[in-house]
Amino acid sequence: MEDMQTVNEYAISKARLEDLQEILRLQHLAYQSEATLLGNKDIPPLKQTLDEVIGEYHKGIILKMVDAGGLIIGSIRAWEMKGTVHVGKLMVHPDHRQQGFGTKLLGEIEKYFPQKRYELFTSTRSIDNIRLYERMGYREFDRRIMDDMDLVYMEKVIGQE
């Protein structure tokens, strides 16, 4: 695989078009816990279509994390607009959480956009996500309400971590 970084028996590389259906299935599985936390099964990651994921693929970079058997167990997306890298859909299979894979994926996507400003958002209720982002140097800069969800927007600027 090109651009692959091995993490223990796991590997991170750019996703291919043929990976997107499996990544979307993982997304629908991984975001169930977020939907439960929010008490809302109608959140955008659970409604996203394959065509929308393909659009994101062409707009930026989607990384995948695969296990030794080739199963995609994690993914993250990012695209750049006006000097800001928008990071989204960081996900890890529920059976593989709390092992540092989210940290590895976030660190890896930042390597594709060096010396930039990074921005992401999560629910204000997603305390574990917020802690992860803070550990990675992200700081809150805004709060907004979208689709009846309270969101915290976080940024990381190289040189200010």
Side-chain angles (χ1 to χ4, degrees):
M1 290 184 211
E2 65 170 320
D3 299 321
M4 186 184 331
Q5 177 185 342
T6 302
V7 181
N8 298 327
E9 64 273 17
Y10 301 90
I12 299 173
S13 63
K14 283 186 178 180
R16 300 179 317 240
L17 267 173
E18 56 265 26
D19 296 322
L20 299 184
Q21 183 66 57
E22 186 177 349
I23 289 171
L24 184 60
R25 278 194 296 272
L26 172 63
Q27 178 176 315
H28 288 158
L29 175 66
Y31 275 87
Q32 292 299 320
S33 57
E34 189 76 5
T36 299
L37 178 67
L38 297 172
N40 180 1
K41 296 287 186 181
D42 201 32
I43 61 174
L46 296 180
K47 299 188 301 186
Q48 192 170 31
T49 67
L50 181 58
D51 285 341
E52 290 169 335
V53 176
I54 290 169
E56 290 180 356
Y57 174 87
H58 290 297
K59 182 173 157 183
I61 294 174
I62 298 179
L63 296 182
K64 64 181 177 180
M65 176 181 271
V66 298
D67 66 11
L71 180 68
I72 298 174
I73 55 114
S75 183
I76 189 169
R77 301 170 202 174
W79 66 95
E80 185 178 354
M81 184 172 70
K82 297 181 181 175
T84 293
V85 177
H86 298 270
V87 179
K89 305 290 191 313
L90 172 57
M91 66 191 91
V92 176
H93 190 286
D95 294 344
H96 297 275
R97 291 184 179 157
Q98 304 301 319
Q99 299 179 48
F101 296 143
T103 300
K104 296 286 187 191
L105 283 161
L106 186 54
E108 192 66 20
I109 199 77
E110 289 175 357
K111 292 177 185 177
Y112 284 87
F113 302 94
Q115 305 298 313
K116 297 291 181 178
R117 176 185 177 269
Y118 306 95
E119 180 178 312
L120 51 77
F121 65 87
T122 191
S123 164
T124 56
R125 295 186 190 178
S126 301
I127 302 304
D128 289 341
N129 292 352
I130 293 169
R131 267 195 227 113
L132 163 66
Y133 301 142
E134 287 176 342
R135 278 196 316 269
M136 294 292 291
Y138 287 77
R139 298 291 172 250
E140 179 179 338
F141 74 92
D142 197 10
R143 288 187 180 226
R144 300 177 197 163
I145 297 175
M146 181 176 68
D147 297 329
D148 294 326
M149 291 184 292
D150 292 327
L151 301 175
V152 57
Y153 281 74
M154 304 181 79
E155 67 180 345
K156 177 179 180 179
V157 180
I158 298 299
Q160 295 182 7
E161 308 81 75

